[in-house]
Amino acid sequence: MAMATRVPSVCAIAPSPSSSRQCHKLRSGVGSIISPRSNRSSASRIRVSSSPSSLRFASVSPSPSSPSSSPGKRFLTVAASMAGAPPPTVLVTGAGGRTGQMVYKKLKERPDQFVARGLVRTEESKGKIGGADDVYVGDIRDAGSIVPAIQGTDFLVILTSAVPKMKPGFDPTKGGRPEFYFEEGAYPEQVDWLGQKNQIDAAKAAGVKQVVLVGSMGGTNPDHPLNSLGNGNILVWKRKAEQYLADSGIPYTIIRAGGLQDKEGGIRELIVGKDDEILQTPTRTIAREDVAEVCIQALLFEESKYKALDLASKPEDAGTPTKDFKALFASVTTKF
């Protein structure tokens, strides 16, 4: 989707002697929405971009006297409704996977903020997540099949991945390690490299404003055990796709998750790192639900753009659950 021309016009709500609300055009590209219950010196101000599609992502600057817990969300909703702009559309690819389902579901639960779309590979997968009309069926290895899903999309969250399968006949009682294989046509080179390249190319052609790509830690080590599964070199191909995204010119956020756990999210302190440093610590895992939430939060803050981060969490009984995602992204300094 092509970027719309920005028109520097926003509205300010301000108290008037007659207690009526007036709408004023501002000459600059940004403005402040001011609470009618406060005067200009003490009001909470919201910096609002003149781009209608970005009104929901304005930054909130509360006054010292106002609680930080948030008139922000209320004011952002006011800003968006005043502009009459629809929420941005987010496409989740790999929406049939365990983490992909969580991202898709979280987006659906926030209709005031997002319009959700999903992309799955089969009709069976579509049925598993509800079979809604906003779920498209396509194969990321076939570039043309994903175009309908990505047209008109504002943001893309990539959660596709090759999946190794265990060879039959493994008996854990006899010791040893299981052997894995990839199905024909579904090797990491085809899925994690060429399939993700197709998505990135389609996103660029469609004018997508940001791509969030979820990968895995371990990519700095060619000898990582994950690369040996089915002789697929999965982390090598994932890393190549990440580099392609970083070089594409599209605003991006690359999330390299630690070991994924099927546990409750939102109750742990999240840890960000770089260059697989977290793998040298005991805190190398993260709940899938936390990864899903970070994917969505990355769409809300400018601080997340043009950055790559390793992601894990502290144990549940250590640290303070992460709530300030803006600060989390701001702490990341690595572009790749």
Side-chain angles (χ1 to χ4, degrees):
M1 182 179 72
M3 292 287 288
T5 302
R6 296 193 172 190
V7 180
S9 173
V10 295
C11 290
I13 303 175
S16 68
S18 61
S19 298
S20 63
R21 299 183 178 184
Q22 297 178 341
C23 182
H24 305 281
K25 282 197 172 183
L26 305 180
R27 294 184 179 181
S28 63
V30 294
S32 297
I33 296 179
I34 304 169
S35 168
R37 297 183 180 180
S38 308
N39 58 38
R40 287 184 177 270
S41 62
S42 63
S44 294
R45 297 172 182 263
I46 303 176
R47 300 286 294 172
V48 183
S49 166
S50 58
S51 169
S53 64
S54 63
L55 279 173
R56 292 183 177 270
F57 311 107
S59 61
V60 182
S61 301
S63 70
S65 61
S66 65
S68 58
S69 61
S70 180
K73 184 175 180 181
R74 181 175 70 251
F75 287 157
L76 289 177
T77 303
V78 171
S81 62
M82 286 171 58
T89 299
V90 184
L91 172 64
V92 182
T93 61
R98 284 183 288 176
T99 309
Q101 287 185 46
M102 291 180 181
V103 177
Y104 174 73
K105 180 181 178 182
K106 284 176 174 286
L107 291 169
K108 296 283 283 186
E109 291 171 348
R110 306 175 194 189
D112 60 323
Q113 289 183 291
F114 305 104
V115 174
R117 286 186 189 176
L119 178 72
V120 297
R121 191 167 60 88
T122 65
E123 289 288 346
E124 181 182 2
S125 292
K126 179 175 180 175
K128 286 180 179 179
I129 58 174
D133 291 340
D134 57 29
V135 178
Y136 294 73
V137 178
D139 190 332
I140 61 171
R141 298 166 297 181
D142 175 5
S145 74
I146 64 177
V147 170
I150 209 162
Q151 287 298 319
T153 295
D154 297 292
F155 300 108
L156 171 63
V157 181
I158 299 177
L159 279 155
T160 54
S161 179
V163 179
K165 296 182 177 295
M166 185 186 299
K167 289 184 178 181
F170 173 69
D171 185 351
T173 64
K174 295 181 178 180
R177 294 183 177 182
E179 294 184 28
F180 293 86
Y181 72 99
F182 291 95
E183 293 182 340
E184 189 64 31
Y187 276 81
E189 180 179 2
Q190 296 155 313
V191 176
D192 294 276
W193 163 233
L194 296 175
Q196 292 189 0
K197 179 179 180 295
N198 286 340
Q199 295 176 70
I200 294 164
D201 289 342
K204 188 170 185 177
V208 168
K209 299 179 180 69
Q210 183 181 1
V211 175
V212 176
L213 172 61
V214 178
S216 302
M217 283 193 282
T220 62
N221 179 15
D223 298 322
H224 193 283
L226 286 179
N227 285 325
S228 66
L229 294 181
N231 295 317
N233 285 317
I234 189 168
L235 296 181
V236 173
W237 295 113
K238 284 181 180 292
R239 196 79 170 186
K240 186 170 183 178
E242 292 168 5
Q243 186 68 65
Y244 189 78
L245 174 59
D247 294 339
S248 70
I250 308 172
Y252 65 87
T253 309
I254 298 170
I255 300 170
R256 299 175 181 129
L260 296 173
Q261 297 182 316
D262 296 320
K263 294 183 177 181
E264 181 183 356
I267 59 175
R268 298 172 186 83
E269 182 174 328
L270 303 184
I271 304 168
V272 294
K274 63 179 181 178
D275 300 328
D276 292 332
E277 293 171 342
I278 292 177
L279 291 179
Q280 310 306 316
T281 74
T283 53
R284 301 187 294 253
T285 60
I286 186 167
R288 290 181 186 274
E289 190 175 342
D290 284 329
V291 175
E293 185 63 31
V294 172
C295 287
I296 294 174
Q297 293 293 331
L299 307 177
L300 298 172
F301 299 103
E302 288 292 322
E303 288 81 1
S304 75
K305 292 183 178 178
Y306 300 104
K307 291 182 178 180
L309 57 115
D310 295 349
L311 183 66
S313 67
K314 293 182 179 180
E316 185 177 335
D317 57 353
T320 304
T322 297
K323 303 298 180 184
D324 189 345
F325 290 93
K326 180 176 181 178
L328 182 78
F329 292 122
S331 70
V332 178
T333 58
T334 48
K335 293 183 179 294
F336 188 78

